[in-house]
Amino acid sequence: MYPQFCQFAKAAAQRVAVATGNPALSKARVPIEPPTSALVMSAGYAAGNVTPPMIPNVTANVLTRSPKGVNAPDATEVAKDTTTPFGLSILVEQGSCDPERYKVSGNSVGNSNTINTINTIITMSNCTIIPVPALQDNYMYLIIDNETQQAAAIDPVDVDAIQAAALTANATITTILTTHNHWDHSGGNLKLIRSTPTIDRVYGGVGDDVPGCTHEVTDGSTFSIGTKTNVSVLFTPCHTQGHVCYYVDNAHVFTGDTLFVSGAGNFNTGTPKQMTEAFDKILKLPDSTNVWVGHEYTAKNCAFACYCEPNNKEMKERLEWAKSRGSIHVGGRGTIPTTIGKEKACNPFARIDVLSVMEFCGPCVNVDD
């Protein structure tokens, strides 16, 4: 993550240089050589093995290794307390969302591998959002139009689980929204289409070769789910060449593998400049926007964020909160949704122009793309 973060920082610095007309600023935030501890941290991320003791004031916890090599807190270590500084309940308490528009409830949804508890179901005036865990750390989602009970399935890789969620919610899946073409997001499309005759639309990013796609979309594309739930598209290529995010009902954004809680996706087919531009688009949304991500990577992302800004109290609190919440996939409570405002406060990729993040990157040189 460290080399990727620094590439991102360089692209952001060049953006600032262009905006200000000061070429000297393009030399900012590109480390000549990362500190040894950072290289060790980066290697740990690549191996799916974060080392908490490297981070000040963080204690190691029990970890369970999944088949994908991603570490998650053991279910026995997950705290029972549902009062969290970053949960939806605090959004209502702090006035960040209108309690008359939001209703929160719990529900259990069957997964083809395990039975997982869905702790966050948000009902608004126009739509209901239901997150559904899949595989080892993926999130699928149902967006249900409240007036018609018609639903869109986002990245439905686990067909059995998404159909069970729809059945429980008394919803009819009519639409598939695919953020990008990777198998763990689009791999269930064709099976879901074959088994669900009510599906008449499959959306995916232009040029992304999404399986079963009937409508390719790009920046500014709009459509509706049912009669009341409006969707607009943010074109965010980098992780894949046609990656898109979906902005729903002026209140929710589904970011796939572009923005994670306190992190960013890999630059698989794109450049740091493209990821910077993608973040710019997402971060322009209102701070109260709920952010629904593609994977439960929060604890390890927060570990890196604390390493980046060791004096940031809010980041330390978020790390402890993420560890206490655990992953839905292993019996925990999960960490979604986040908000745009929280990402601006706790995501190093959203804080690239903050002085403490600049200082983290150390001595700099201008490096060609």
Side-chain angles (χ1 to χ4, degrees):
M1 181 174 286
Y2 184 85
Q4 176 171 297
F5 177 72
C6 294
Q7 289 175 339
F8 185 91
K10 175 180 179 289
Q14 291 176 333
R15 175 196 65 194
V16 172
V18 171
T20 61
N22 184 355
L25 293 178
S26 67
K27 297 182 180 180
R29 290 160 277 171
V30 186
I32 296 173
E33 184 175 334
T36 301
S37 56
L39 292 175
V40 172
M41 173 66 78
S42 180
Y45 272 85
N49 183 22
V50 178
T51 309
M54 292 175 57
I55 304 164
N57 303 322
V58 177
T59 57
N61 63 347
V62 178
L63 297 175
T64 301
R65 195 169 189 80
S66 74
K68 281 187 69 176
V70 177
N71 290 323
D74 183 84
T76 60
E77 296 294 310
V78 176
K80 302 295 184 183
D81 186 12
T82 59
T83 304
T84 70
F86 302 98
L88 184 69
S89 59
I90 207 72
L91 295 179
V92 177
E93 290 168 12
Q94 293 180 345
S96 299
C97 68
D98 182 354
E100 295 302 317
R101 296 181 69 210
Y102 290 76
K103 296 179 181 178
V104 187
S105 60
N107 187 30
S108 295
V109 176
N111 180 285
S112 59
N113 299 315
T114 58
I115 299 297
N116 299 281
T117 299
I118 305 300
N119 300 104
T120 307
I121 298 176
I122 297 184
T123 301
M124 297 180 62
S125 57
N126 292 332
C127 67
T128 297
I129 310 297
I130 302 179
V132 185
L135 306 178
Q136 299 301 320
D137 50 42
N138 280 69
Y139 281 116
M140 312 179 290
Y141 299 96
L142 280 178
I143 306 170
I144 305 172
D145 179 68
N146 291 333
E147 183 168 280
T148 63
Q149 285 299 105
Q150 293 179 13
I154 293 189
D155 293 348
V157 62
D158 187 330
V159 172
D160 293 342
I162 203 73
Q163 288 178 327
L167 181 64
T168 299
N170 193 30
T172 301
I173 301 175
T174 62
T175 307
I176 295 175
L177 308 185
T178 308
T179 60
H180 63 291
N181 65 12
H182 287 169
W183 75 269
D184 60 326
H185 294 260
S186 67
N189 282 12
L190 298 180
K191 180 180 177 181
L192 185 58
I193 293 167
R194 287 193 298 267
S195 61
T196 312
T198 52
I199 293 174
D200 57 12
R201 293 174 294 163
V202 179
Y203 292 93
V206 64
D208 214 40
D209 296 326
V210 167
C213 185
T214 61
H215 294 70
E216 286 196 332
V217 290
T218 189
D219 220 38
S221 297
T222 60
F223 55 91
S224 297
I225 302 164
T227 57
K228 295 289 188 179
T229 305
N230 296 318
V231 182
S232 60
V233 176
L234 304 178
F235 190 54
T236 53
C238 184
H239 187 71
T240 65
Q241 63 185 0
H243 192 293
V244 292
C245 300
Y246 296 99
Y247 184 43
V248 177
D249 208 26
N250 294 318
H252 308 275
V253 63
F254 297 82
T255 58
D257 284 5
T258 292
L259 182 149
F260 296 123
V261 182
S262 288
N266 291 327
F267 308 169
N268 292 324
T269 63
T271 65
K273 181 175 183 292
Q274 284 183 312
M275 188 61 82
T276 302
E277 292 170 347
F279 262 64
D280 285 345
K281 290 180 184 179
I282 295 169
L283 295 175
K284 286 179 181 177
L285 299 175
D287 284 358
S288 60
T289 304
N290 290 308
V291 180
W292 304 90
V293 302
H295 291 270
E296 180 60 58
Y297 291 160
T298 303
K300 68 176 184 178
N301 286 344
C302 288
F304 179 80
C306 287
Y307 179 73
C308 177
E309 292 190 78
N311 296 320
N312 187 318
K313 180 181 177 182
E314 192 167 2
M315 284 185 173
K316 291 179 182 179
E317 291 175 349
R318 192 180 225 199
L319 173 59
E320 294 304 320
W321 167 78
K323 292 194 298 182
S324 72
R325 294 287 287 183
S327 171
I328 291 175
H329 304 75
V330 292
R333 297 181 179 275
T335 60
I336 53 171
T338 180
T339 67
I340 294 295
K342 283 298 178 185
E343 292 314 295
K344 289 178 179 177
C346 293
N347 188 328
F349 289 86
R351 295 171 56 78
I352 206 66
D353 295 321
V354 175
L355 180 60
S356 56
V357 178
M358 296 181 194
E359 292 173 344
F360 167 77
C361 289
C364 303
V365 294
N366 195 15
V367 181
D368 293 334
D369 287 327

